[in-house]
Amino acid sequence: MKEAESLEKNDCEVTILGLEDSREIPSRNFSFDISLIHLKSRKYRSKIFLPLKFAELIFRNYQFLMQQDVHVIHCHDISPMFVAWLVSLRKKIPIVYDSHELEYDRNLSSKALKLFNRYYEKLLIGKASQIIVSEGAFRAEVMHDVHRLHAPVTYVRNCPPRVTDKDLIQINLKEKLGVPENSRILLYVGNIGPGRGTIQTLESLLHLPKEVILVVIGTVQDNGVFNKTKNELGLDDRVFAIGPFPYKELIRYTTSADIGLCLYENTCLSYYHSTPTKLFDYIAAGVPPLTSNFPAMSEIVENSPDGEIGVTVSPENPVDIAQGIKIILDWDNEKLGIVKGRMKKLHLSQFNWDEQEKNLISVYENFRDQ
């Protein structure tokens, strides 16, 4: 939605094409059109019907696109690239491949799907006229190595909008949760699932004082593993889950945390080279991040131009996580003030959507010049 709004604002006529499902479109007015494709084959639940569903998806998308006055097809991930290529052949129009995952090695439970995505991307990525990578140079280097890219690559990070001091008026989490005023809050924003370092975070609490608590703003999607582990470790009174909330509320809740957690595990190259959106949310809110000690996150957290803004640790090691938490919690007010100043500068200068939007628009300026 964010990219579509930016393109529409910059004199592009945008139509989002998606799948009709049980989820409703957000109840707000958009400046662009949204068209949903209904698949009759979705009523069949068995996996043996997957080829039929895929074939119908291609046919209905192709049918819709061929009826439109389309000048550019923007694929928000690898899935629609085949039908985009078919349409581009007929209409002689360019494709933008907007990569939000490293399909070469993703965190997928199905090995068959993982291999399919890998070779599907390899087959079709060369059809793109422009490539957008949301995670910066580290993922792009892997893509260059495995696909020998020829199309220009532009980095467009998924950053939050530029926030002001008014946007950051705190909603007190301690008050909302009814926890003691001396509690120290570790905050995890987003969905909990495999490979996100949340089990190791629970185990790290056993090495920390009881006033250190974990707050999750999001949903738990791990088949009960998180809650089961929490119960087994006896952490019911130190772990809380609330939300999710709209962004304007989320950022205000985030400001009341002591540490923002972003501990992706090295389960795949896509995670290893990731810079998740939650990292930029923490920076916008002025909350020191504790992240995995992987190259892309370390570059931001430890090697920013003015100095460190947080701490990196091994996400698989609960003791290392606890040690990193202690380091940040031990910072005095002077040190914390310096770090918050660095984060504010980073957010306002580059890690906000107003700045990232410029990179997105530059991709489409290339087409206007043709």
Side-chain angles (χ1 to χ4, degrees), residues 7-293:
L7 291 170
E8 189 81 21
K9 186 175 69 177
N10 284 272
D11 301 323
C12 296
E13 292 184 21
V14 178
T15 298
I16 290 182
L17 181 59
L19 263 182
E20 182 182 84
D21 59 19
S22 58
R23 294 171 296 178
E24 295 182 1
I25 294 178
S27 56
R28 49 175 283 207
N29 293 323
F30 294 104
S31 58
F32 47 85
D33 293 329
I34 299 177
S35 295
L36 299 179
I37 300 293
H38 174 71
L39 296 185
K40 294 180 179 179
S41 58
R42 293 195 84 177
K43 63 184 178 183
Y44 302 118
R45 299 297 182 184
S46 173
K47 289 183 179 179
I48 65 172
F49 290 105
L50 283 176
L52 174 63
K53 293 178 183 180
F54 190 61
E56 187 188 3
L57 176 63
I58 291 171
F59 172 74
R60 296 199 179 278
N61 280 323
Y62 179 82
Q63 187 180 48
F64 177 88
L65 289 168
M66 288 302 296
Q67 293 171 353
Q68 308 302 309
D69 183 20
V70 183
H71 299 98
V72 180
I73 302 178
H74 187 121
C75 297
H76 204 257
D77 60 28
I78 194 62
S79 304
M81 278 290 287
F82 180 67
V83 70
W85 172 58
L86 293 178
V87 175
S88 73
L89 287 176
R90 289 289 302 275
K91 288 183 173 281
K92 308 298 182 188
I93 57 175
I95 299 170
V96 175
Y97 173 40
D98 192 347
S99 170
H100 291 259
E101 295 285 350
L102 191 56
E103 300 293 346
Y104 177 76
D105 187 20
R106 282 186 65 177
N107 188 46
L108 296 172
S109 57
S110 168
K111 290 184 179 180
L113 183 58
K114 196 170 185 175
L115 282 172
F116 176 81
N117 280 12
R118 175 180 295 186
Y119 290 106
Y120 182 69
E121 182 182 61
K122 191 174 186 67
L123 178 68
L124 293 169
I125 196 169
K127 313 302 181 186
S129 300
Q130 297 277 336
I131 296 172
I132 293 173
V133 177
S134 66
E135 301 290 348
F138 290 97
R139 273 193 186 173
E141 283 177 15
V142 176
M143 293 171 71
H144 273 291
D145 289 343
V146 299
H147 297 309
R148 306 187 193 283
L149 301 180
H150 298 292
V153 176
T154 302
Y155 306 135
V156 182
R157 294 187 186 274
N158 189 13
C159 293
R162 185 179 276 131
V163 298
T164 64
D165 291 341
K166 184 179 178 182
D167 297 319
L168 297 175
I169 295 173
Q170 186 180 107
I171 299 177
N172 194 317
L173 268 174
K174 295 173 187 175
E175 213 171 83
K176 182 176 179 66
L177 298 172
V179 298
E181 192 58 36
N182 70 337
S183 300
R184 310 302 299 273
I185 296 176
L186 312 177
L187 180 65
Y188 177 93
V189 171
N191 296 331
I192 286 181
R196 302 295 179 95
T198 48
I199 301 304
Q200 292 86 341
T201 300
L202 290 175
E203 293 171 347
S204 76
L205 290 175
L206 301 178
H207 304 279
L208 293 163
K210 289 190 175 180
E211 62 265 24
V212 179
I213 64 173
L214 172 64
V215 178
V216 175
I217 299 182
T219 56
V220 180
Q221 300 175 335
D222 68 347
N223 297 318
V225 176
F226 179 81
N227 287 324
K228 182 182 177 184
T229 305
K230 177 189 71 172
N231 295 336
E232 289 175 348
L233 296 176
L235 295 172
D236 284 339
D237 59 341
R238 295 177 64 188
V239 179
F240 304 84
I242 58 175
F245 301 108
Y247 183 75
K248 288 186 177 179
E249 286 182 55
L250 171 64
I251 195 75
R252 294 177 61 196
Y253 278 113
T254 302
T255 58
S256 66
D258 294 285
I259 296 174
L261 301 175
C262 190
L263 296 167
Y264 281 46
E265 299 165 48
N266 187 12
T267 59
C268 61
L269 285 175
S270 194
Y271 274 11
Y272 185 72
H273 291 305
S274 68
T275 50
T277 304
K278 60 175 66 65
L279 172 57
F280 303 115
D281 290 337
Y282 300 145
I283 292 172
V287 175
L290 182 78
T291 74
S292 308
N293 55 1

Side-chain angles (χ1 to χ4, degrees), residues 311-329:
V311 172
T312 67
V313 296
S314 168
E316 286 91 5
N317 187 334
V319 174
D320 201 28
I321 292 170
Q323 186 58 39
I325 290 168
K326 289 176 183 176
I327 290 171
I328 296 177
L329 294 182

Side-chain angles (χ1 to χ4, degrees), residues 322-354:
Q323 186 58 39
I325 290 168
K326 289 176 183 176
I327 290 171
I328 296 177
L329 294 182
D330 284 344
W331 287 347
D332 58 26
N333 289 335
E334 182 182 3
K335 168 76 172 180
L336 192 57
I338 291 170
V339 168
K340 285 180 177 288
R342 291 171 184 165
M343 284 190 282
K344 184 174 183 177
K345 184 177 177 181
L346 277 175
H347 170 68
L348 294 177
S349 64
Q350 57 180 303
F351 295 142
N352 66 78
W353 183 246
D354 292 338

